[in-house]
């Protein structure tokens, strides 16, 4: 349940509610919103529900008690009506600006990474991507340069001024990846690797959680809930396509996930049209569609010579393709931002399917 405090509630009244929840052996997660404080009561309530509601609703400063209708709690809009905005280095994700994560599928060497990094930085990218530890379907294909790649990523990030995102595949890698990278990526194959989710939840770096290729939106949000409940509030959701009966594309990009997530959660949402389609020429239209649907940004693969790439060359943009994409994407983002903006409502209003004041 959520304890919604009155607008006039004092810090002492909030504290008293927190103490009462703790005295019941439950956890109180507090969201201090712009307008009011909401406290999520997390834990096994069992047969105590009526008694707890009775007691909490009479405590000073409490406005209402709302039952939680969804299994995800800390990631839900009800708990946290304002959009989560993540600041990492000079980049801001989720504030209405356009986030562009770009770079090679795999870091193949220092020169290759530097070349792409300089190019994407000069052409509108806000975050540099590159795989160091690669989850490959075949054990016989390139598995990534590991720690060597992390060093190149850090160097490229420093030189270009871009924060760096890279994938972490197992709990034992979290510390080393967090040492070099600014954002930890959990890949589609690991979305339900709960020990990894808990480990990145304890890390002090933002996490980008890709949607499992066979996961429902609720399962995906529950995976995000693992990270947030472990103590890390900075989670970015990445729709990267799901597996369907369609074979022309590598996956099927679920565009409806974008507005749905904005409705259900306060976390930022990006789309990855590269892994979603597997085809270079489909990257631009689907990136545009994602941003038109309200995505906070995109993740896209770029390679100086895609035909020679050690992984995912067929879906990687060449430099001129990235430049072309950025011109169109910037125009769509400006147009869409203007359409959604309503000065009378908080920024999150467009995200929750209508009038934010109802929530
Ligand atoms: C990637 O972004 O490098 C990647 C492997 O993506 P996914 O987990 O979506 O397949
Ligand atoms: Mn890839």
């Amino acid at each position: 349940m959520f304890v919604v405090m009155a607008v006039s509630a004092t810090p002492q009244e909030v504290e008293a509610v927190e103490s009462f929840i703790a005295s019941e052996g439950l956890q109180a997660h507090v969201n201090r919103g712009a307008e009011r404080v909401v406290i999520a009561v997390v834990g096994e309530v069992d047969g105590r529900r009526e008694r707890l509601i009775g007691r909490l609703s009479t405590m000073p400063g409490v406005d209402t008690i709302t039952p939680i209708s969804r299994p995800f709690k800390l990631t839900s809009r009800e708990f946290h009506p304002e959009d989560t905005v993540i600041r990492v280095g000079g980049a801001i994700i989720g504030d209405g600006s356009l986030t562009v994560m770009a770079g090679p599928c795999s870091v193949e060497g220092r020169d290759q990474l530097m070349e792409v990094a300089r190019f994407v930085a000069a052409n509108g990218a806000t975050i540099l991507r590159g795989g160091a530890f690669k989850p490959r379907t075949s054990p016989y294909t390139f598995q990534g340069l590991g720690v060597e790649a992390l060093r190149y990523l850090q160097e490229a990030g420093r030189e270009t001024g871009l924060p760096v995102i890279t994938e972490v595949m197992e709990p034992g890698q979290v510390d080393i990846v967090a040492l070099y990278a600014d954002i930890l990526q959990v890949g589609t194959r690991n979305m339900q690797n709960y020990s990894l989710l808990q480990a990145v939840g304890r890390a002090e770096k933002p996490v980008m959680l890709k949607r499992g290729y066979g996961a429902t939106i609720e399962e995906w949000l529950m995976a995000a809930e693992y990270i947030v409940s472990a103590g890390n509030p900075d989670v970015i959701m990445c729709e990267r396509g799901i597996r369907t009966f369609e074979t022309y594309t590598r996956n099927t990009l679920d565009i409806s996930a974008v507005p749905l997530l904005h409705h259900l959660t306060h976390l930022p949402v990006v789309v990855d049209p590269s892994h979603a389609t597997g085809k270079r020429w489909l990257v631009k239209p689907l990136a545009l569609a994602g941003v038109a649907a309200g995505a906070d940004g995109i993740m896209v693969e770029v390679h100086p010579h895609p035909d020679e790439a050690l992984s995912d060359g067929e879906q990687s943009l060449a430099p001129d393709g990235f430049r072309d994409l950025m011109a169109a994407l910037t125009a769509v983002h400006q147009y869409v931002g203007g359409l959604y903006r309503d000065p009378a409502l908080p920024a999150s209003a467009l995200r929750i399917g209508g009038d934010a004041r109802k929530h």
Side-chain angles (χ1 to χ4, degrees):
M1 69 189 81
F2 294 123
V3 181
V4 182
M5 301 300 292
V7 176
S8 59
T10 65
Q12 291 75 20
E13 288 167 345
V14 173
E15 219 169 274
V17 172
E18 281 183 79
S19 308
F20 171 67
I21 293 166
S23 73
E24 289 285 333
L26 300 166
Q27 287 173 347
H29 290 264
V30 182
N31 175 39
R32 292 173 214 282
E35 204 187 327
R36 56 170 85 226
V37 172
V38 180
I39 305 171
V41 183
V42 178
E44 212 45 77
V45 170
D46 296 329
R48 291 180 282 174
R49 184 170 300 276
E50 291 313 312
R51 179 173 61 79
L52 290 178
I53 293 176
R55 177 71 198 278
L56 283 165
S57 56
T58 56
M59 289 185 78
V62 171
D63 185 352
T64 45
I65 310 290
T66 321
I68 301 180
S69 51
R70 309 187 199 277
F72 46 92
K73 304 173 194 327
L74 307 181
T75 53
S76 73
R77 272 277 179 212
E78 286 96 333
F79 173 57
H80 193 297
E82 308 85 9
D83 289 339
T84 283
V85 175
I86 299 173
R87 283 160 216 277
V88 48
I92 308 183
I93 307 155
D95 67 336
S97 63
L98 179 63
T99 294
V100 177
M101 306 178 183
C105 176
S106 301
V107 176
E108 299 169 5
R110 188 175 176 278
D111 292 348
Q112 171 247 18
L113 183 65
M114 286 300 174
E115 188 179 344
V116 196
R118 287 184 192 123
F119 184 84
V120 297
N123 286 277
T126 58
I127 293 169
L128 176 65
R129 71 146 280 148
F133 298 100
K134 295 301 301 176
R136 303 304 302 281
T137 304
S138 163
Y140 307 121
T141 54
F142 182 58
Q143 304 285 308
L145 296 179
V147 178
E148 184 186 344
L150 294 179
R151 292 201 191 98
Y152 299 148
L153 281 165
Q154 187 181 56
E155 185 186 344
R158 284 187 180 156
E159 192 193 297
T160 56
L162 297 182
V164 162
I165 179 168
T166 195
E167 178 162 355
V168 51
M169 284 170 54
E170 47 182 275
Q173 286 170 352
V174 172
D175 286 348
I176 184 89
V177 174
L179 197 61
Y180 288 99
D182 303 292
I183 306 175
L184 312 176
Q185 175 172 325
V186 174
T188 191
R189 297 160 182 83
N190 266 320
M191 191 207 80
Q192 285 180 315
N193 179 340
Y194 297 115
S195 45
L196 179 62
L197 298 176
Q198 280 166 337
V200 297
R202 289 188 295 268
E204 285 175 7
K205 293 277 166 95
V207 176
M208 186 171 88
L209 179 63
K210 288 193 142 193
R211 181 179 185 174
Y213 55 77
T216 64
I217 286 178
E218 192 163 291
E219 286 163 343
W220 187 14
L221 283 166
M222 292 308 287
E225 190 81 14
Y226 263 87
I227 302 171
V228 178
S229 66
N232 190 340
D234 292 333
V235 179
I236 304 154
M237 307 294 279
C238 177
E239 163 60 44
R240 48 77 72 204
I242 48 177
R243 189 165 283 183
T244 67
F245 47 79
E246 184 51 67
T247 54
Y248 272 110
T249 48
R250 185 173 176 183
N251 293 285
T252 298
L253 185 67
D254 180 8
I255 288 286
S256 61
V258 175
L260 255 172
L261 281 182
H262 282 320
H263 177 78
L264 295 169
T265 181
H266 49 89
L267 299 172
V269 181
V270 304
V271 298
D272 170 353
S274 306
H275 293 90
T277 60
K279 289 186 164 70
R280 189 174 312 145
W281 66 276
L282 284 174
V283 167
K284 178 177 172 183
L286 292 196
L288 299 182
V291 169
D296 296 283
I298 61 160
M299 165 173 267
V300 69
E301 290 183 336
V302 184
H303 194 285
H305 310 286
D307 296 337
E308 293 161 24
L310 297 183
S311 61
D312 285 350
E314 31 345 309
Q315 68 193 33
S316 297
L317 296 178
D320 57 351
F322 179 69
R323 196 190 287 120
D324 172 59
L325 167 65
M326 283 308 297
L329 201 61
T330 309
V332 169
H333 177 254
Q334 274 166 8
Y335 182 68
V336 169
L339 273 184
Y340 284 149
R341 214 167 287 130
D342 177 349
L345 293 173
S348 55
L350 75 107
R351 302 286 174 76
I352 54 181
D355 189 342
R357 286 167 295 201
K358 285 191 193 124
H359 287 253

